[in-house]
Amino acid sequence: MHELLSGNEAIARGAYEAGVTVATGYPGTPSTEILESLVAFKDQVYCEWSPNEKVALEVAAGACFTGARCLVTMKHVGLNVAADPLMTLAYVGAVGGIVIVVADDPGMHSSQNEQDSRHFARFAKIPILEPSDSKEAKEFVRLGLEISEQFRTPVLLRTTTRVSHSRGLVELADRTPPTREIKFEKDPPRFVPIPLWGRIMRQQVEKRLADLRAFACTSAANRIESGDRDLGIITASISYEYVKEVWPQASVLKLGMSYPFPDDLIRQFATGVKRVLVVEELDDILEEHIKAMGIACEGRSVISGIGELSPLRLTEARAKLDGHAAPALAAAPAADLPARPPVLCPGCPHRGVFHALAQHDVVVTGDIGCYSLGVFKPLARIDTILCMGGGVTLAHGMDKAGEKRKVVGIVGDSTFFHSGITGVLNIVFNRGASTIIVVDNRTTAMTGHQDNPGTGRTLMGQPTNAASIADIARACGVKRVRTVNPYNLAETKAAVAEELAADEPSVIVSVAPCVLKEKVRPGPRRAVAADICKTCGLCLKLGCPAMEGGPKGTQPVVNDLLCAGCGMCQQVCKFGAVAAVEEGL
Ligand SMILES: Cc1ncc(C[n+]2csc(CCOP(=O)(O)OP(=O)(O)O)c2C)c(N)n1
């Protein structure tokens, strides 16, 4: 049977079919749907959202040590968080197969940076598989698990946004049930990398790499597609699909297993063609290596490493390579199209916190989540973003450096559990005075409403303990901890003002569920009475997409279809011009 699956769904299917019994991860676009699809098989596959990627990888490592086949999922920046266990797991190695899916985001569709996870394969000295489509995405999970068990190594499976989110035909197969008995076999020299044994493991890693290099040269994942000998293209991942479209006649070396570099195969391919072109998205990892092998090739000279590749960009590269002027392929977008930056949804509870902060001259160190959108005008209350958890720690750093203004850190609930807690602990430990606001919308909203340790429900749908952010803050030693309802602007403003004035650390937990998750309006829709409105523009400063209006002096109007009924506009109006609309009218 065939099914049209996205790359992420295909990976989930591959894990199910290949007998994975433990799957862990932390959400992050474009990887999130893998576990969300795999959980459909929860009777056979244990699935969990872990609090962060490091935890996810360590949980899977423990499971794999007992002989279980495991899958771990994360986005590219998540692998930075999981890098510590990864580097040493590469020494200790696998028992049951372990495949770590890392989803890169060239073009930064929904990420704070554009990093190339292939470096991690080389860095950790472990193999990496790069599917080009959904069919391979499924097959490479099984292949990765087999390689993992045969060579006792963790295996990276790297997708990119296009591979993760494009759909393709995939042939389904039955599940191969796991055959290993689940039992941890005690063997300290095998599992304990103290220097004595770690040095031996270090030697084994090099031997394994040589064995894997030989395997990569013969694996069906790496293949030569013979064509015109004038041009030979070495490529991997989604770039392969673009290459087939733009250079249908060329000879191609397609690398499904791109590290360890299959040197002999590369040499064999290069000697059979007149000119070698390397087509790779982001960094010139293959090109550098091929050049270091003494093989002349082109790549970066005609294709920039910034942003996502596309058939269009490669058509331009082709013209450059052939010495022609680049064809005018894309019509330039109309210059007068209005910019449409993303905005907080109508009714988003985060808006109340930004409104309260707008009353103060403070520095706000933001974090990653829906509340990042508070950076845009008219809210404009986020001054920095670095990485998950950075909202808390940057605040403390500014404070300790002597920043004159009060520094406020903002994190979401999922981010607090991911990597905010240690930052709060640090503020107390090191006698800081920052105010941290946790905008707790009872979900991991930005990535699509995943559960987290505070929501009281697991990925598999079981009820569980809902961790209390306020209790954790108190346990970290914060004396000033309070909870506010962000829809109540007076309450929120008073709490923010009091905590900013305090000379000691404080945590404000702003609690109200995400309106898109609950699908319940917090209150009745609102309307502006034109005869009362003074067109002062205060309501527009909330930046609510449902409040439509031009510059100061023009009459604002509530868009009925968008209004979520949070009532903040009514609270900010000084003239009583905004009122609830009776339903049914
Ligand atoms: C290390 C890392 N892992 C995952 C992500 C993807 N990601 C972006 S925001 C976010 C969580 C947002 O949830 P929360 O903090 O609760 O804020 P909300 O979006 O609900 O306002 C995640 C997981 C990331 N950017 N960095």
Side-chain angles (χ1 to χ4, degrees):
M1 191 173 117
H2 288 79
E3 227 176 86
L4 202 56
L5 298 182
S6 69
N8 282 345
E9 290 164 344
I11 289 170
R13 181 74 202 186
Y16 164 75
E17 289 180 8
V20 162
T21 55
V22 175
T24 63
Y26 183 71
T29 312
S31 71
T32 313
E33 302 83 5
I34 301 171
L35 284 194
E36 289 179 333
S37 307
L38 190 52
V39 77
F41 303 108
K42 65 183 178 192
D43 291 343
Q44 289 131 297
V45 187
Y46 168 78
C47 298
E48 74 168 39
W49 287 129
S50 309
N52 66 33
E53 296 86 352
K54 172 174 146 65
V55 174
L57 178 52
E58 290 162 357
V59 170
C64 111
F65 290 167
T66 69
R69 281 193 160 184
C70 303
L71 189 83
V72 191
T73 72
M74 60 197 67
K75 72 180 289 168
H76 61 305
V77 279
L79 195 53
N80 304 338
V81 178
D84 191 17
L86 178 70
M87 292 297 152
T88 307
L89 184 62
Y91 278 38
V92 175
V95 180
I98 178 165
V99 167
I100 302 151
V101 183
V102 56
D104 283 6
D105 187 18
M108 298 167 66
H109 294 282
S110 47
S111 305
Q112 66 268 40
N113 75 8
E114 191 182 51
Q115 66 182 52
D116 192 328
S117 297
R118 293 178 298 163
H119 289 289
F120 271 109
R122 196 171 179 182
F123 193 11
K125 300 174 187 293
I126 58 174
I128 189 165
L129 301 175
E130 293 192 77
S132 300
D133 59 17
S134 297
K135 176 176 176 290
E136 279 189 347
K138 192 196 90 161
E139 287 167 1
F140 282 9
V141 176
R142 184 183 290 272
L143 176 65
L145 292 164
E146 287 167 0
I147 293 173
S148 177
E149 286 170 3
Q150 183 182 343
F151 295 91
R152 288 183 163 196
T153 176
V155 172
L156 283 176
L157 193 151
R158 174 192 185 241
T159 65
T160 62
T161 305
R162 295 289 156 188
V163 176
S164 284
H165 288 168
S166 305
R167 289 182 173 271
L169 261 196
V170 177
E171 186 174 358
L172 306 188
D174 291 336
R175 176 168 164 94
T176 313
T179 48
R180 280 175 195 263
E181 185 202 353
I182 298 300
K183 182 167 193 287
F184 176 67
E185 298 290 350
K186 292 188 185 206
D187 183 1
R190 166 94 166 81
F191 291 105
V192 185
I194 52 172
L196 172 70
W197 294 317
R199 289 190 196 106
I200 297 168
M201 294 176 192
R202 174 79 188 85
Q203 306 281 344
Q204 289 165 346
V205 166
E206 292 304 320
K207 160 87 175 60
R208 184 180 72 197
L209 211 51
D211 293 346
L212 281 162
R213 192 179 305 284
F215 175 87
C217 288
T218 53
S219 166
N222 293 334
R223 62 171 186 264
I224 293 176
E225 297 176 2
S226 298
D228 190 339
R229 287 174 168 261
D230 285 344
L231 181 67
I233 301 176
I234 303 178
T235 189
S237 186
I238 192 69
S239 306
Y240 165 78
E241 304 290 343
Y242 304 153
V243 163
K244 296 298 279 184
E245 209 170 313
V246 176
W247 286 277
Q249 323 293 342
S251 293
V252 174
L253 170 56
K254 181 197 184 306
L255 299 179
M257 180 175 174
S258 58
Y259 190 82
F261 304 113
D263 290 353
D264 290 347
L265 194 64
I266 292 171
R267 228 174 255 116
Q268 180 197 334
F269 178 72
T271 50
V273 294
K274 286 194 194 137
R275 195 176 186 187
V276 176
L277 173 69
V278 182
V279 179
E280 57 191 323
E281 221 163 25
L282 301 185
D283 295 342
D284 48 354
I285 297 174
L286 285 169
E287 184 183 352
E288 264 190 10
H289 178 74
I290 292 166
K291 282 185 170 151
M293 287 169 68
I295 297 171
C297 63
E298 284 152 294
R300 188 48 51 85
S301 55
V302 287
I303 306 163
S304 151
I306 301 174
E308 196 176 28
L309 291 185
S310 64
L312 184 70
R313 278 185 63 189
L314 292 188
T315 306
E316 286 162 359
R318 181 179 176 161
K320 233 175 168 180
L321 201 67
D322 296 345
H324 303 141
L329 293 163
D336 54 353
L337 282 180
R340 287 206 221 166
V343 285
L344 291 175
C345 302
C348 174
H350 299 340
R351 187 171 279 110
V353 167
F354 289 122
H355 174 74
L357 283 170
Q359 326 292 317
H360 303 273
D361 180 22
V362 289
V363 178
V364 182
T365 54
D367 213 300
I368 304 179
C370 290
Y371 45 94
S372 313
L373 300 173
V375 73
F376 295 116
K377 284 180 181 168
L379 298 170
R381 287 320 280 164
I382 295 271
D383 297 308
T384 64
I385 289 180
L386 187 62
C387 58
M388 288 189 76
V392 180
T393 38
L394 261 68
H396 180 65
M398 287 194 183
D399 184 27
K400 287 292 170 185
E403 167 58 44
K404 304 281 179 306
R405 287 158 293 185
K406 179 89 182 194
V407 190
V408 182
I410 295 199
V411 290
D413 47 336
S414 190
T415 303
F416 178 80
F417 295 118
H418 178 280
S419 46
I421 298 172
T422 42
V424 172
L425 199 57
N426 185 51
I427 291 172
V428 179
F429 172 39
N430 287 304
R431 307 170 62 93
S434 312
T435 294
I436 303 302
I437 304 180
V438 185
V439 284
D440 179 5
N441 57 1
R442 318 297 304 145
T443 189
T444 315
M446 186 166 238
T447 45
H449 294 137
Q450 291 75 31
D451 282 299
N452 67 49
T455 63
R457 199 173 40 234
T458 70
L459 172 60
M460 307 218 292
Q462 303 142 319
T464 186
N465 175 61
S468 155
I469 294 169
D471 285 354
I472 291 174
R474 277 185 212 105
C476 287
V478 181
K479 300 280 183 297
R480 302 183 68 95
V481 179
R482 57 202 291 176
T483 298
V484 297
N485 170 8
Y487 290 129
N488 184 333
L489 294 184
E491 179 195 344
T492 307
K493 280 199 280 195
V496 167
E498 279 169 32
E499 297 314 322
L500 291 186
D503 208 12
E504 59 173 305
S506 55
V507 169
I508 301 173
V509 191
S510 159
V511 189
C514 169
V515 279
L516 290 190
K517 173 108 196 273
E518 296 299 317
K519 297 189 181 75
V520 176
R521 285 211 197 116
R525 281 179 294 147
R526 303 303 203 275
V528 183
D531 53 334
I532 308 176
C533 176
K534 301 275 186 283
T535 69
C536 69
L538 257 188
C539 56
L540 292 167
K541 287 202 169 146
L542 287 168
C544 176
M547 184 63 81
E548 297 173 350
K552 198 171 169 177
T554 50
Q555 173 68 56
V557 177
V558 176
N559 181 324
D560 268 4
L561 293 175
L562 291 180
C563 178
C566 72
M568 289 189 207
C569 51
Q570 183 171 3
Q571 293 175 61
V572 298
C573 181
K574 291 182 179 158
F575 307 103
V578 185
V581 177
E582 280 183 41
E583 295 301 334
L585 289 183

